[in-house]
Every structure is written in C-alpha cells, then in structure tokens.
Amino acid sequence: MRISLWQSLKPIGLRLWVLLLASPGVALANADVEKNIADSKNWAMQAGDMFNHRYSKLNQINKGNVGKMQVAWTFSTGVLRGHEGSPLVVDGKMYVHSPFPNKVFAIDLDTQKILWKYEPKQDPAVIPQMCCDTVNRGVAYAEGKIILQQADSMLVALDSKTGKVLWSVKNGDPKTGAVNTNAPHIFKDKVITGISGGEWGVRGFLAAYNLSDGKLAWKGYSVGPDAEMLMDPEATMTWTDGAMKPVGKDSSLKTWKGDQWKIGGGTTWGWFSYDKALNLVYYGTGNPSTWNPAQRPGDNKWSMTIFARDVDTGKAKWVYQMTPYDEWDFDGVNEMILADINVKGKPTKALVHFDRNGFGYTLDRVTGALLVAEKFDPKVNWATHVDMKTGRPQVVKKYSTAQGGPDVNTKGICPAALGSKDQQPASYDPNTKLFYVPTNHVCMDYEPFKVDYVAGQPYVGATLSMYPAPGSHSGMGNFIAWDAGTGKIVQTKAEKFSVWSGSLNTAGGISCYGTLEGYLKCVDAKDINKELFKFKTPSGIIGNVFSYEHKGKQYIGVYSGIGGWAGIGMAAGLEKDADGLGAVGGYRELSQYTELGGSLTVFALPN
C-alpha cells in the first residue's frame, strides 16, 4: 500500500499546527467577530472594535452635512432607569438591551419590526443590591449567539435568530452584593466578564467562559493569594523604580491588614479590550472596600490597577496600580484604549487610560512600562503629580481623607468620587491622532466613618457631598480633545452637566456625544468648540453614540434614559443631598432639564 508524504507526516503536521496556534506570535481573535467588525456597516462590538477606539469608517454623514440630520426612527425599551452602552448592529439586525430587568430585543432594520424579545425573570431583590442604578452596559455577539450579563449575575447565551436560551451560568451571588452591570466581551473562544459590588465588600475578579458551552475556563481575582490572582511572582511584572520588575511573592497579601482582602473590593465592572498579536486582554479594577481608609491600611494591591492577562490562561503578564491606598473611591475600571501612536516622539504600541483619579495614563501595552501620566482636568488637586520613577501619585496632605481619621470631613477634593471621568468611554480618531474624552468637572467633601461588614449589606463607610469645580465655568462637565503622546489637553468644550455619554468619532471628521440634559451633539473633530449638530432627545443621555449603515444609508444613534450614578436621584426617586453617595445633591438641578425615559433615537440625513 502506497502512503502519500502528507499522510505520513499528518500526525506531525497536526501537532505542529496546534503548537503554532498556541504560540503568542500567531494568536487569533474570534474570526466571526473580526469579520463583523471589519464591515463598517455593522456596529458589532460595544466599542466598534477590540481596541476600544469607538471610531466608525463611515463618512456619508460628515462635518459638512451633519447639521442636516433628522430623526429617522425611535424605539422605546419600556424601562425607566439609566440606559448605558449601545445597541449592536450585525447584518441588518439590531440588538437592543435595557437596564434591569435586562430585556433584549432583536429588530429588523428593514421594518423596525421586533423579531424576538427576551425578558429574564429576575428577583427584584437584586435592585437594592446595585449601588449606582440598575444599568447594563450592553450585549456581545459572535457565532450566532447574543451574550447577556444579567444583573442577577447570570451570564446567558441567546440564539441570535430566535432569542432562545442556549446556555446560562451563574457568575456571582447577588445575596452578597455580587451583581453585574458590565458588558461581556468575546475574545477568541472566550466570553470575558467581570463583577460588581465593591460597595458591598465583594472581592473582584475577571472570568472567562467558553463561548461554545458556558463552562468556566479561568477566573483571576484582583486581590489575594498569588495562585487565585493567576499571578506568577517572578514572571508577572510591574513598574518599580523606573523599570519593569517582578511583583514578587504575596504582592497583594502583604498590602492588606489581616484577612481584609477577602472583602477587599477591586471589582471589574468596566470595559475590556484585546490585542490579538499579544494575546492579552486589558481591564481595570475598582476601589478597595471599605471607603473608610482607616480600616484597611496599606497599598491594597491590586485594587485600582490595570491588568494585562493572557486570554487563554488568565495569567497576569503585567499590572500597574494607579491609586495605591485609595482614599477617594477613584475606581480604575475605565476603558483601556489600545492605539499605535507616537509617545514623546517615539512610535509606541500604547495603552491609553483616563482614570477616575483625574490622570490620563499612557503605558507601553507590550511591557506595561509607564510613559505618560498627566492631569486631564486642570482642577484635579488631590495629588500634585505622578512620580514617574515610582508610578505613585504624590498626595496633597490637605486632601487626604485618611489624615484626620474617621468622622473628619475633608473638603474641596477634586475630583469627586465619580472621578474626572467615570465609565463613560472616550474615543480615538486615527485621523487627528487625538482622544476625545467625556469628563466630569466635579469636586467633593468626604467624611469617612467606621463600618462593620455584613454580607449582603452596603459596606461603604463614608458620607459625601458633590458640587461643580469652584473657580471655573460653573458647569459640571467638559468634552476634551487629548494628546496621549504628550499628556496635554488640546481643546476643551465646557458643558453645564457632566458628559456621561460615550463618544463616537467618524471618518466624516465629526465627534459626537450626549449630555445629561438629553442633547445629542456633534462637533468638528479638529475644532470641538465648533458645534455642528444639536438635538434634544426624550431623556438625559448616559448611553454611548454608535453608527451603522443600512441599504446604503448611514445612521447615528444613541440611547436616552437618565440614570447612572449622576442621575441616580431621578432614576431611584432619592431626595436627600447625601443620597446616592452624594450625587443627589450634586445633580439636583438636573431634574429641571429632563425627565425619566428609556428610548433609542436614530438619526440620518434626509432623503
């Protein structure tokens, strides 16, 4: 019997192919997701791509005609809480999500007909376990599946054609405060999701589930023992003394008092990004529990940290902590934008992050080296600067909430706990090489107090009041253009309220965002103070602007539905100034400009 050369080498060839696939140099993203995001007609991921650029190559709507946009169609979700995230558009169908109870609608873009609706039956007891409104940041799509992360922590895969549940898995225990608000992301064959509940003493983690069947592939905790964090003391690197060095043994445990790490926070409710060439997923961790720093002395690693993990194994390649020993609730969960830019004149594979603490960071996303750390709001005062050798912010004693201990009110801290930017995502424009950032221009008074941990009960330990940054334009927000290579604000556009909407840039030379009063605005990407379009939607906007094309026509859309932390007073009917962790008093005037609602508004040029 004659055997061909291929048949004789077949076992070797297959093993070689498996080895090649496993090597970082030929890492593959999910092929279906890549195909969908490559087609600009779609909006197939929450950020439009895996790099979190929030940029559309469509240019039918441009700076010369965007002022002529009109409402093309609208859709009500039937829910009256904060609407964050955006719909997805894939091959002529739109997938719309809502806050709790986390409805999902599939809509035919030809007719706007609802093809199917999924409405999970969740226990209403989940609602009071969600600290800052019942928001949900969106669904993911791949291989005929819609992936939804419900508030009650159930991660669900739906058939994109029928809405039928294909698999579901429990990601956390709502009875202990472990709920979910984040959008799941699909990288390779994994569904990546996080967890909320830092204000309930939940110990944060990032988890990867198999897209095919929902089985847990890995889980990496933010704090605790090395093995549980999937951290190698000798191979996981961090910025130390001006260079990347191993984190060392028990890098987290050594920075917590006793067993405080077990209820240590570091939750992961923000956005995730992925570089397939490096096979790394990037994300940030939240505040340490509690907000009373006197109860948790130490750096509280690795809360407030940027993580880079191998997407196959979850192993941490490098970490960088932005706010050691947090005293202000400056969660580090904001998105990581991956861009190839010049940093101080040198071409760099960069990671750009606008942190709650008011500093805009640029890191080398390959190594984790710190390259730039500068204030992206001039009113930031809690720290003078970031020491580039240690990577640590230089705290101003006057604004340390730990200095006086519990029951001492520290006044005039800028920014407020909701940060110079919260989760509302920035966009990157490859044409201008600038980042467009929706920001909060808000300061606070902060009084910590002793609090005991009780599972399933709030574990905050601080009273806050918020107000517009003094000595400024009297407003609570700015929309800025930022040069991440130098760490400088290029342009600033003042807004009356915080800009809590995710921005969008397009090849048409525009940058669009929403305001808390409910306006969708589009500005010239080269001159953001040149307002080209303005339209008042039915409710305040905390959703993210997106764009797609259908039958040769470009559309721009956004959710409106006031809520989130800034709008929690209206969304939850709270009235006392200190309610909503201080947001109710800070944003009290908002109710004079908008009302509750939950809808999608889609715009296009007239025929």
Side-chain angles (χ1 to χ4, degrees):
M1 181 175 67
R2 299 179 66 182
I3 301 175
S4 69
L5 179 62
W6 164 244
Q7 286 175 314
S8 65
L9 294 177
K10 201 172 182 180
I12 299 173
L14 285 173
R15 286 196 296 270
L16 180 61
W17 179 240
V18 170
L19 287 172
L20 283 171
L21 285 179
S23 69
V26 290
L28 302 174
N30 184 286
D32 189 51
V33 175
E34 282 198 299
K35 174 180 69 72
N36 290 327
I37 63 177
D39 184 350
S40 298
K41 295 177 183 178
N42 294 327
W43 189 260
M45 294 188 74
Q46 284 297 319
D49 62 19
M50 299 187 187
F51 275 23
N52 276 341
H53 283 182
R54 300 186 181 272
Y55 173 82
S56 171
K57 294 179 181 177
L58 299 178
N59 61 8
Q60 185 182 100
I61 299 172
N62 55 58
K63 64 182 181 181
N65 61 24
V66 67
K68 298 177 182 178
M69 277 202 313
Q70 298 175 349
V71 175
W73 60 281
T74 63
F75 179 80
S76 172
T77 65
V79 182
L80 295 179
R81 299 295 288 253
H83 284 58
E84 291 185 349
S86 74
L88 298 183
V89 176
V90 182
D91 296 337
K93 295 182 178 63
M94 180 180 287
Y95 301 96
V96 174
H97 72 280
S98 84
F100 187 93
N102 305 137
K103 300 178 186 179
V104 180
F105 303 87
I107 298 175
D108 184 335
L109 290 179
D110 285 335
T111 61
Q112 286 86 57
K113 177 184 177 181
I114 299 173
L115 300 173
W116 54 260
K117 179 177 77 169
Y118 170 74
E119 184 171 357
K121 303 302 180 185
Q122 300 184 69
D123 187 343
V126 172
I127 295 174
Q129 299 292 75
M130 304 178 78
C131 90
C132 311
D133 202 10
T134 60
V135 297
N136 181 282
R137 297 187 179 92
V139 296
Y141 177 95
E143 301 176 14
K145 297 182 179 73
I146 293 292
I147 309 296
L148 168 69
Q149 178 64 83
Q150 295 177 185
D152 62 4
S153 93
M154 295 302 296
L155 183 69
V156 181
L158 307 173
D159 186 306
S160 65
K161 293 181 180 179
T162 65
K164 178 183 176 182
V165 175
L166 300 175
W167 55 255
S168 64
V169 61
K170 189 175 182 181
N171 186 54
D173 183 1
K175 292 181 180 179
T176 66
V179 295
N180 269 104
T181 58
N182 68 278
H185 288 62
I186 298 169
F187 304 134
K188 296 184 76 171
D189 60 347
K190 304 290 192 298
V191 178
I192 307 294
T193 190
I195 198 73
S196 299
E199 279 64 60
W200 269 252
V202 170
R203 182 180 169 217
F205 60 81
L206 196 74
Y209 296 89
N210 295 332
L211 176 62
S212 60
D213 57 14
K215 290 183 179 178
L216 181 67
W218 53 261
K219 179 186 284 189
Y221 283 92
S222 306
V223 301
D226 293 334
E228 294 181 17
M229 293 190 298
L230 305 183
M231 192 172 279
D232 185 329
E234 299 306 318
T236 304
M237 310 295 281
T238 193
W239 186 252
T240 306
D241 198 25
M244 297 301 294
K245 297 179 181 179
V247 294
K249 190 176 187 299
D250 296 333
S251 60
S252 176
L253 294 179
K254 290 177 179 177
T255 65
W256 291 87
K257 181 180 179 180
D259 287 342
Q260 181 74 24
W261 60 270
K262 293 181 178 179
I263 49 172
T267 51
T268 49
W269 48 273
W271 305 94
F272 319 131
S273 54
Y274 174 66
D275 186 331
K276 74 170 185 176
L278 301 171
N279 204 38
L280 295 177
V281 56
Y282 302 89
Y283 68 100
T285 64
N287 61 284
S289 305
T290 139
W291 287 22
N292 176 13
Q295 292 182 236
R296 46 169 176 79
D299 279 356
N300 306 140
K301 291 179 167 46
W302 294 96
S303 65
M304 315 307 242
T305 294
I306 299 172
F307 271 83
R309 290 188 184 273
D310 183 284
V311 82
D312 294 322
T313 64
K315 290 183 179 178
K317 181 177 181 181
W318 59 259
V319 289
Y320 171 70
Q321 188 178 41
M322 294 153 291
T323 312
Y325 188 49
D326 172 67
E327 305 173 45
W328 311 270
D329 184 46
F330 290 153
D331 291 54
V333 301
N334 295 349
E335 74 286 354
M336 311 299 157
I337 305 174
L338 313 182
D340 297 343
I341 59 175
N342 285 335
V343 179
K344 298 179 179 177
K346 182 181 178 181
T348 305
K349 289 186 177 298
L351 177 152
V352 177
H353 170 75
F354 300 95
D355 197 62
R356 286 256 290 268
N357 70 15
F359 286 88
Y361 293 87
T362 304
L363 283 73
D364 183 317
R365 71 175 182 267
V366 180
T367 66
L370 177 64
L371 304 175
V372 175
E374 299 290 345
K375 297 176 183 180
F376 63 96
D377 186 318
K379 288 295 180 178
V380 172
N381 64 12
W382 70 277
T384 55
H385 66 285
V386 172
D387 184 300
M388 295 303 289
K389 190 172 183 181
T390 65
R392 298 178 70 96
Q394 302 303 290
V395 177
V396 176
K397 186 177 180 181
K398 178 181 178 182
Y399 302 116
S400 164
T401 69
Q403 62 167 336
D407 305 317
V408 173
N409 193 16
T410 302
K411 297 183 177 182
I413 305 165
C414 304
L418 39 69
S420 292
K421 187 178 87 64
D422 204 287
Q423 62 76 38
Q424 61 268 39
S427 52
Y428 170 67
D429 194 320
N431 304 301
T432 64
K433 304 292 185 184
L434 297 176
F435 296 77
Y436 295 78
V437 192
T439 74
N440 311 313
H441 196 54
V442 185
C443 302
M444 68 175 174
D445 300 341
Y446 188 115
E447 183 175 340
F449 59 84
K450 188 178 184 303
V451 60
D452 294 324
Y453 173 77
V454 178
Q457 298 297 317
Y459 186 53
V460 179
T463 302
L464 279 63
S465 59
M466 300 183 189
Y467 40 84
S472 188
H473 57 75
S474 301
M476 300 178 76
N478 292 305
F479 187 64
I480 70 169
W482 175 264
D483 182 340
T486 60
K488 292 182 179 178
I489 299 171
V490 177
Q491 296 173 353
T492 301
K493 184 177 187 293
E495 289 289 349
K496 181 173 180 59
F497 295 104
S498 296
V499 186
W500 209 277
S501 157
S503 56
L504 170 80
N505 279 56
T506 79
I510 57 175
S511 185
C512 302
Y513 63 94
T515 73
L516 283 176
E517 308 101 300
Y519 289 106
L520 174 68
K521 295 185 177 184
C522 294
V523 300
D524 188 328
K526 293 183 178 178
D527 181 3
I528 63 173
N529 283 290
K530 190 174 181 182
E531 198 169 281
L532 305 173
F533 176 80
K534 179 180 178 181
F535 182 90
K536 187 81 180 302
T537 65
S539 184
I541 298 175
I542 63 170
N544 303 332
V545 189
F546 69 106
S547 186
Y548 67 95
E549 182 183 309
H550 185 64
K551 290 188 172 179
K553 196 174 186 69
Q554 182 183 357
Y555 297 85
I556 291 176
V558 70
Y559 285 134
S560 59
I562 193 65
W565 193 356
I568 188 64
M570 296 185 67
L574 305 177
E575 296 183 353
K576 296 179 181 178
D577 284 354
D579 286 349
L581 301 171
V584 173
Y587 292 87
R588 183 169 295 283
E589 192 181 358
L590 190 57
S591 63
Q592 299 174 26
Y593 290 84
T594 191
E595 188 49 271
L596 296 178
S599 61
L600 169 68
T601 307
V602 180
F603 301 85
L605 296 174
N607 292 324

